[in-house]
Amino acid sequence: MNFKGFGFFDEVEWPEGRDIDTLLRSKLDLASRVESSGCFDGFYVIERHLTRLSANVSQSVFLSALSQKTSKIRLGALVYVLPLRNPLMLAEEISLLDHIAKGRLDVGLGSGISDL
């Protein structure tokens, strides 16, 4: 059964006792399983800076890897933190990433938030 319009949201959380290599490999495998299930149209990730809430500090790098492990589902960045970015470089980065993902990129933009 295909539930059109549903997306899978992953914070790339960093559980205690797990090294970064194992965590990232498990997330890449998770994206493959999400796509194979046929129940989701997209896989969406966040970036977090200076917090322990997420191991993903570069959505573009992570989404580029996800694009190589998947072929049909949309991939999303939720959100790029604008105050931390050069606007021209971000536009170029998003454009290149969308090409790498073969037009499957969804992008969110925001001001960010911190628990500091």
Side-chain angles (χ1 to χ4, degrees):
M1 182 178 253
N2 194 349
F3 300 101
K4 289 293 183 191
F6 283 90
F8 190 94
F9 178 80
D10 188 6
E11 291 187 350
V12 193
E13 70 286 347
W14 200 331
E16 286 187 42
R18 192 173 232 187
D19 64 272
I20 187 75
D21 188 53
T22 303
L23 171 67
L24 294 177
R25 288 183 193 284
S26 72
K27 296 302 180 174
L28 294 173
D29 291 340
L30 175 61
S32 293
R33 290 193 313 270
V34 166
E35 181 175 73
S36 295
S37 76
C39 295
F40 298 93
D41 291 328
F43 192 91
Y44 301 93
V45 297
I46 62 169
E47 68 180 12
R48 295 279 171 94
H49 300 276
L50 304 173
T51 74
R52 62 187 183 284
L53 300 175
S54 178
N56 188 14
V57 297
S58 176
Q59 292 182 103
S60 293
V61 172
F62 191 64
L63 288 167
S64 182
L66 287 174
S67 75
Q68 302 306 298
K69 296 287 283 186
T70 61
S71 61
K72 294 178 238 154
I73 60 173
R74 298 200 57 80
L75 302 171
L78 305 175
V79 304
Y80 282 107
V81 181
L82 293 179
L84 301 178
R85 310 242 181 218
N86 173 302
L88 178 59
M89 291 178 72
L90 179 60
E92 292 174 333
E93 187 176 306
I94 289 169
S95 177
L96 179 59
L97 179 55
D98 192 46
H99 283 285
I100 290 170
K102 298 180 179 158
R104 297 182 292 136
L105 184 64
D106 293 332
V107 174
L109 306 171
S111 61
I113 190 168
S114 177
D115 61 351
L116 296 177

